[in-house]
Amino acid sequence: MFDTIMLLTMCMLSISIVIALYRVIKGPSIHDRILALDSIGYIVIGIVAVLSIMLDSHAYLETILLIGILAFLSTVALSKYMEGGVVIERKSDD
Amino acid sequence: METIRMIGEISIGILILIGALLSALSAFGLIRLPDVYLRSHAASKSATLGVLCILFGVFLYFMLDLEHVSVKLLLGIVFVFITSPVAGHLNARAAYRSGVPLWKHSNRDDLKIALKKEQEQEQVESEK
C-alpha cells in the first residue's frame, strides 16, 4: 500500500515536470522560461525526497538542500541579468 | 504500538499525496493561465506548499520508521519556504520592468502610475 502511494506520487511529479517542460519550450517571453525552470527545480527536490523513502536511506538528504540553494541562486542571477544586463556590477571609480 | 505505526503510515501517505497533487496543480497552472504574472502566482505559491508537504512527510517517515531525526531536512524546509517566494518576486519584477504585457482582460495597473512617477523624479534629479 505504502509503496503504491510512493509510486503514484513519483508518476504525478514526473507528469508535472513534463508539463512544466512544455512551458519552458513554448513560453512567449524569457521570464516564463525562468519561472518554469525554477518550478522544475522544486519538483526535482520532491522527487529526491520521495526516492529517499523508496530506497530507505538518508544518504540523499544533502542533495535536497543543495538543489534548493542552486535553484534560488540561478533564478536570482537570471532575473538580475534580465533586468539590468549585468549580474555582478562593477564598482564605479570616481 | 501497531496502531500508532499504522496511523503514522497513513498520515505520511496522505501528506505526500497532497504534496504531489499540489505540485501537479501548479504545473497545470503553468500551462493554463494566460500571462506571466498569473503564471508566477500559480507556480510560486502552490509549488512551494507542495514541496513543503512532501518534505515534511519524508521528515516524519525518517523520524517514525528509521528513528533518525534529520536536521538537514528541517533546514531544507525552512530554506525553500523563505527563498521560493523571493525568487518569484524577483522574476515578476524583472518581467514588469522589461515590459512584458499584462493579460488583455486585466483592467487595473497601479504599478504603472507609481513607476512613471519614480522615473519622472529620477529625471528631475538628473537634470539638477
Side-chain angles (χ1 to χ4, degrees):
Chain A
M1 185 62 201
F2 200 66
D3 292 338
T4 326
I5 289 179
M6 289 304 121
L7 262 180
L8 195 70
T9 311
M10 216 59 161
C11 289
M12 277 157 65
L13 289 175
S14 319
I15 289 170
S16 41
I17 280 190
V18 172
I19 291 171
L21 266 181
Y22 169 80
R23 183 50 70 193
V24 173
I25 293 166
K26 189 173 167 271
S29 70
I30 194 101
H31 303 281
D32 290 294
R33 300 196 170 117
I34 298 173
L35 193 68
L37 283 174
D38 191 43
S39 67
I40 283 180
Y42 289 119
I43 296 169
V44 168
I45 292 177
I47 283 188
V48 172
V50 177
L51 194 71
S52 69
I53 281 190
M54 287 171 91
L55 298 179
D56 248 353
S57 92
H58 49 81
Y60 303 116
L61 297 185
E62 288 99 345
T63 323
I64 292 170
L65 211 54
L66 206 62
I67 297 174
I69 292 169
L70 282 181
F72 175 62
L73 273 187
S74 59
T75 308
V76 169
L78 275 173
S79 306
K80 215 168 166 224
Y81 176 68
M82 291 314 294
E83 195 175 339
V86 285
V87 179
I88 301 171
E89 284 159 21
R90 291 191 180 197
K91 224 190 284 177
S92 64
D93 37 310
D94 46 2
Chain B
M1 209 57 213
E2 197 57 38
T3 355
I4 291 177
R5 180 170 291 269
M6 215 175 76
I7 291 173
E9 207 156 84
I10 288 172
S11 56
I12 289 165
I14 288 175
L15 257 180
I16 291 179
L17 212 58
I18 285 177
L21 265 176
L22 280 172
S23 296
L25 214 63
S26 86
F28 276 108
L30 267 179
I31 56 166
R32 288 283 295 165
L33 290 175
D35 167 356
V36 186
Y37 311 103
L38 295 172
R39 283 198 279 265
S40 136
H41 162 78
S44 58
K45 281 199 260 288
S46 50
T48 310
L49 187 59
V51 169
L52 291 189
C53 282
I54 291 178
L55 288 185
F56 191 60
V58 176
F59 175 74
L60 284 183
Y61 177 80
F62 278 122
M63 204 171 73
L64 294 178
D65 268 30
L66 272 64
E67 295 186 346
H68 171 260
V69 179
S70 162
V71 185
K72 275 174 275 180
L73 219 41
L74 281 183
L75 208 62
I77 291 174
V78 172
F79 190 81
V80 169
F81 183 63
I82 292 174
T83 57
S84 167
V86 177
H89 165 79
L90 279 175
N91 190 29
R93 179 190 150 103
Y96 195 89
R97 300 233 165 180
S98 54
V100 177
L102 270 71
W103 186 33
K104 62 179 187 291
H105 292 302
S106 56
N107 55 9
R108 180 163 173 173
D109 192 356
D110 287 339
L111 184 55
K112 199 177 186 177
I113 306 164
L115 207 62
K116 196 186 267 179
K117 211 178 274 175
E118 190 182 285
Q119 276 167 355
E120 277 170 5
Q121 213 163 28
E122 269 177 17
Q123 216 166 29
V124 167
E125 276 177 13
S126 66
E127 276 172 9
K128 261 180 198 174

